[in-house]
Amino acid sequence: SVTGVQTCALPILAALAVGNALAAFCLSAAFVGPLLLPLGETGGGFHLTGDSKRGKTTAAQMGLSAWGLPYKGAALRDWNGTANAFEATAEACGDMLLTLDELHQANPAEVARVAYMLADGAGKGRLDRNAAARRRRTWRCFILSTGEHDLATAAQRGGQRLPAGADVRLPSLPVPEAAEAWPALHGRASLQALWADLHRSMKAQHGEAARAFLAHLTAADAVELHATAAAMRERIAAGLPKDAD
């Protein structure tokens, strides 16, 4: 078909992440959500922070493309919403990847509360008009967030302090300048050309990788899965400084 020919002519998205650690990190984040329940882990995630034009959103979209079309109006969400709306959004992304773009759109007075709530995995308890308890929204998902400022700074602008629990569950990761964050151009003439190809690929190829991963996960041996996760934890911990937070 014409669609098949066009798809085959596009670069494979994951191949363009090779040599680009930020992109590879976000692609890896796409597959964390389904692992949380079988491994007995709680939710959490990372906030990518740094000046504009560093490719933060593009990298986050690469991860989100494993689940669906990674653009506004489709799978990509942003920080422009109320705490109640975020509860529904997080619940809808249960055992998946929740991607929140553009922290500057958030209500500064709500950032601390929303960040902690999203990472904690439970919404606010409420009563109905008869004083009976409503069903409390809960979720378990992995989060990728982006913004020019870290979460603590955004919360301070609203006169709030980011709780330590939120900083642990949703730590801010500084993204370096674009040339350092995306050193591998894979034959493209410029970083802008690489990003253009990435977006062309994401628009044409999305939603398949997560399904393939879930098929493998549901057929996996539980004992082997836990052993693999334990080995990865030990390997990562061994590479950390002794005084690491």
Side-chain angles (χ1 to χ4, degrees), residues 6-28:
Q6 290 176 339
T7 300
C8 291
L10 291 169
I12 297 174
L13 192 71
L16 299 182
V18 175
N20 294 315
L22 175 63
F25 176 82
C26 290
L27 281 179
S28 299

Side-chain angles (χ1 to χ4, degrees), residues 10-11 13 16 55 57-59 61-62 69-71 76 192-206:
L10 291 169
L13 192 71
L16 299 182
T57 297
T58 295
Q61 286 174 301
M62 289 178 70
L69 184 63
Y71 293 96
L76 182 64
Q192 287 66 34
L194 174 67
W195 287 345
D197 272 354
L198 284 171
H199 282 283
R200 285 201 309 124
S201 292
M202 286 189 283
K203 289 175 182 176
Q205 305 165 358
H206 51 266

Side-chain angles (χ1 to χ4, degrees), residues 21 48 68 102 123 129 133 145 149 182 215 226 234:
L48 307 177
E102 300 178 351
R129 65 179 62 185
S145 166
H149 301 288
W182 299 84
H226 279 267
E234 292 176 3

Side-chain angles (χ1 to χ4, degrees), residues 34-222:
L35 291 169
L36 296 174
L37 178 61
L39 292 178
E41 296 286 351
T42 58
F46 293 92
H47 173 68
L48 307 177
T49 180
D51 293 339
S52 61
K53 307 301 182 184
R54 297 190 178 190
K56 303 184 301 295
T57 297
T58 295
Q61 286 174 301
M62 289 178 70
L64 188 57
S65 70
W67 291 95
L69 184 63
Y71 293 96
K72 300 290 179 64
L76 182 64
R77 274 82 169 184
D78 57 40
W79 276 92
N80 185 14
T82 64
N84 290 349
F86 280 119
E87 290 185 21
T89 297
E91 187 177 53
C93 294
D95 297 305
M96 295 169 53
L97 177 67
L98 169 59
T99 302
L100 296 173
D101 195 27
E102 300 178 351
L103 180 61
H104 69 271
Q105 293 186 2
N107 179 352
E110 292 272 315
V111 168
R113 175 189 167 194
V114 169
Y116 188 87
M117 178 189 73
L118 290 175
D120 193 45
K124 185 178 181 180
R126 297 179 177 87
L127 300 178
D128 62 21
R129 65 179 62 185
N130 298 316
R134 293 182 183 177
R135 181 184 69 85
R136 190 181 187 188
R137 292 183 184 272
T138 59
W139 53 86
R140 179 182 49 249
C141 59
F142 198 74
I143 303 163
L144 278 182
S145 166
T146 72
E148 294 188 14
H149 301 288
D150 60 28
L151 290 171
T153 299
Q156 288 172 1
R157 292 185 171 186
Q160 306 293 316
R161 178 177 174 274
L162 191 69
D167 203 26
V168 169
R169 292 176 175 87
L170 197 62
S172 295
L173 293 181
V175 174
E177 295 288 343
E180 185 179 348
W182 299 84
L185 299 183
H186 294 281
R188 274 64 177 180
S190 66
L191 184 51
Q192 287 66 34
L194 174 67
W195 287 345
D197 272 354
L198 284 171
H199 282 283
R200 285 201 309 124
S201 292
M202 286 189 283
K203 289 175 182 176
Q205 305 165 358
H206 51 266
E208 294 298 326
R211 289 171 173 80
F213 179 75
L214 289 172
H216 284 285
L217 181 60
T218 53
D221 178 81

